[in-house]
Coordinates of all heavy atoms in Angstrom, one line a residue:
G35 N -0.2 -43.4 66.8 CA -0.3 -44.2 68.1 C -1.6 -43.9 68.8 O -2.2 -44.9 69.3
M36 N -2.1 -42.7 68.7 CA -3.4 -42.4 69.3 C -4.5 -43.1 68.5 O -5.5 -43.6 69.1 CB -3.7 -40.9 69.4 CG -2.8 -40.2 70.3 SD -3.1 -40.7 72.0 CE -1.9 -39.9 72.9
G37 N -4.4 -43.2 67.2 CA -5.3 -43.9 66.4 C -5.4 -45.4 66.8 O -6.4 -46.0 66.8
I38 N -4.2 -46.0 67.0 CA -4.2 -47.4 67.4 C -4.8 -47.6 68.8 O -5.6 -48.6 68.9 CB -2.7 -47.9 67.4 CG1 -2.2 -48.0 66.0 CG2 -2.6 -49.3 68.1 CD1 -0.7 -48.2 65.9
L39 N -4.6 -46.7 69.7 CA -5.2 -46.8 71.0 C -6.7 -46.6 70.9 O -7.5 -47.3 71.6 CB -4.7 -45.8 71.9 CG -3.2 -46.0 72.4 CD1 -2.7 -44.8 73.2 CD2 -3.1 -47.3 73.1
L40 N -7.2 -45.7 70.0 CA -8.6 -45.6 69.8 C -9.3 -46.8 69.2 O -10.3 -47.2 69.6 CB -8.9 -44.3 68.9 CG -10.3 -44.0 68.6 CD1 -11.0 -43.6 69.9 CD2 -10.4 -42.9 67.6
G41 N -8.6 -47.4 68.2 CA -9.1 -48.7 67.6 C -9.1 -49.8 68.7 O -10.1 -50.6 68.7
A42 N -8.2 -49.9 69.5 CA -8.2 -50.9 70.6 C -9.3 -50.6 71.5 O -10.0 -51.6 72.0 CB -6.9 -50.9 71.4
T43 N -9.7 -49.4 71.8 CA -10.8 -49.0 72.7 C -12.1 -49.5 72.0 O -13.0 -50.0 72.7 CB -10.8 -47.5 72.9 OG1 -9.6 -47.1 73.5 CG2 -12.0 -47.1 73.9
V44 N -12.2 -49.3 70.7 CA -13.4 -49.7 70.0 C -13.6 -51.2 70.1 O -14.7 -51.7 70.4 CB -13.4 -49.2 68.5 CG1 -14.4 -49.9 67.7 CG2 -13.5 -47.7 68.4
F45 N -12.5 -52.0 69.9 CA -12.6 -53.4 70.0 C -13.0 -53.8 71.4 O -13.7 -54.8 71.6 CB -11.4 -54.1 69.5 CG -11.3 -54.1 68.0 CD1 -10.2 -53.5 67.4 CD2 -12.2 -54.7 67.2 CE1 -10.1 -53.4 66.0 CE2 -12.1 -54.7 65.8 CZ -11.1 -54.1 65.2
W46 N -12.4 -53.2 72.4 CA -12.8 -53.5 73.8 C -14.2 -53.2 74.1 O -14.9 -54.0 74.7 CB -11.9 -52.7 74.7 CG -12.2 -52.9 76.2 CD1 -12.0 -54.0 76.9 CD2 -12.9 -52.0 77.0 NE1 -12.5 -53.8 78.2 CE2 -13.0 -52.6 78.3 CE3 -13.4 -50.7 76.8 CZ2 -13.6 -51.9 79.3 CZ3 -14.0 -50.0 77.9 CH2 -14.1 -50.6 79.1
L47 N -14.8 -52.1 73.6 CA -16.2 -51.8 73.8 C -17.1 -52.8 73.1 O -18.1 -53.1 73.6 CB -16.5 -50.3 73.3 CG -15.9 -49.2 74.3 CD1 -16.1 -47.9 73.6 CD2 -16.5 -49.3 75.6
I48 N -16.7 -53.2 71.9 CA -17.5 -54.3 71.2 C -17.4 -55.6 72.0 O -18.4 -56.3 72.1 CB -16.9 -54.4 69.8 CG1 -17.3 -53.2 68.9 CG2 -17.5 -55.7 69.1 CD1 -16.7 -53.1 67.6
Y49 N -16.3 -55.9 72.6 CA -16.2 -57.1 73.4 C -17.1 -57.0 74.6 O -17.8 -58.0 74.9 CB -14.7 -57.2 73.8 CG -14.5 -58.3 74.9 CD1 -14.5 -59.6 74.5 CD2 -14.2 -58.0 76.2 CE1 -14.2 -60.7 75.4 CE2 -14.0 -59.0 77.1 CZ -14.0 -60.3 76.7 OH -13.8 -61.3 77.6
I50 N -17.1 -55.8 75.2 CA -18.0 -55.7 76.4 C -19.5 -55.7 75.9 O -20.3 -56.4 76.6 CB -17.8 -54.3 77.1 CG1 -16.4 -54.3 77.6 CG2 -18.8 -54.0 78.1 CD1 -16.1 -55.3 78.7
L51 N -19.8 -55.2 74.8 CA -21.2 -55.2 74.3 C -21.6 -56.6 74.0 O -22.7 -57.0 74.3 CB -21.3 -54.4 73.0 CG -22.6 -54.4 72.3 CD1 -23.7 -53.6 73.1 CD2 -22.5 -53.8 70.9
S52 N -20.7 -57.4 73.4 CA -21.1 -58.8 73.1 C -21.3 -59.6 74.3 O -22.1 -60.6 74.3 CB -20.0 -59.4 72.2 OG -18.8 -59.6 72.9
H53 N -20.6 -59.4 75.4 CA -20.8 -60.1 76.6 C -22.1 -59.7 77.4 O -22.7 -60.4 78.1 CB -19.6 -60.0 77.5 CG -18.5 -61.0 77.1 ND1 -18.6 -62.3 77.1 CD2 -17.3 -60.7 76.6 CE1 -17.5 -62.9 76.7 NE2 -16.7 -61.9 76.3
N54 N -22.5 -58.4 77.2 CA -23.6 -57.9 77.9 C -24.9 -58.3 77.1 O -25.9 -58.6 77.8 CB -23.6 -56.4 78.1 CG -22.6 -56.0 79.2 OD1 -22.4 -56.8 80.1 ND2 -22.2 -54.8 79.1
L55 N -24.9 -58.2 75.8 CA -26.1 -58.6 75.1 C -26.1 -60.0 74.6 O -26.7 -60.9 75.2 CB -26.3 -57.6 73.9 CG -26.5 -56.1 74.3 CD1 -26.6 -55.3 73.0 CD2 -27.8 -56.0 75.1
N56 N -25.4 -60.2 73.5 CA -25.1 -61.6 73.0 C -24.0 -61.4 72.0 O -23.6 -60.4 71.6 CB -26.3 -62.3 72.5 CG -27.0 -61.5 71.3 OD1 -26.3 -60.6 70.7 ND2 -28.2 -61.8 71.1
N57 N -23.5 -62.6 71.5 CA -22.4 -62.5 70.6 C -22.7 -61.9 69.3 O -21.9 -61.3 68.6 CB -21.8 -63.9 70.4 CG -21.1 -64.4 71.6 OD1 -20.6 -63.6 72.4 ND2 -21.0 -65.7 71.8
M58 N -24.0 -62.1 68.8 CA -24.3 -61.5 67.5 C -24.4 -60.0 67.5 O -24.1 -59.4 66.5 CB -25.7 -62.1 67.1 CG -25.6 -63.6 66.7 SD -24.3 -63.9 65.5 CE -25.0 -63.2 64.0
A59 N -24.8 -59.4 68.6 CA -24.8 -58.0 68.7 C -23.4 -57.4 68.6 O -23.2 -56.4 67.9 CB -25.5 -57.5 70.0
G60 N -22.5 -58.0 69.3 CA -21.1 -57.6 69.1 C -20.6 -57.7 67.7 O -19.9 -56.9 67.2
F61 N -21.0 -58.8 67.1 CA -20.5 -59.1 65.7 C -21.1 -58.0 64.8 O -20.4 -57.4 63.9 CB -21.0 -60.5 65.2 CG -20.7 -60.8 63.8 CD1 -19.4 -61.0 63.4 CD2 -21.8 -60.8 62.9 CE1 -19.2 -61.3 62.0 CE2 -21.5 -61.1 61.6 CZ -20.2 -61.3 61.1
Y62 N -22.4 -57.7 64.9 CA -23.1 -56.7 64.1 C -22.4 -55.3 64.4 O -22.2 -54.6 63.4 CB -24.6 -56.6 64.4 CG -25.3 -57.8 63.9 CD1 -26.4 -58.3 64.6 CD2 -25.0 -58.5 62.7 CE1 -27.1 -59.4 64.2 CE2 -25.7 -59.6 62.3 CZ -26.7 -60.1 63.0 OH -27.4 -61.1 62.6

Side-chain angles (χ1 to χ4, degrees):
M36 291 296 175
I38 290 170
L39 291 175
L40 182 64
T43 304
V44 167
F45 285 119
W46 175 72
L47 288 172
I48 289 172
Y49 172 76
I50 297 297
L51 176 71
S52 68
H53 282 293
N54 284 338
L55 297 177
N56 59 19
N57 288 336
M58 289 308 290
F61 175 73
Y62 291 143

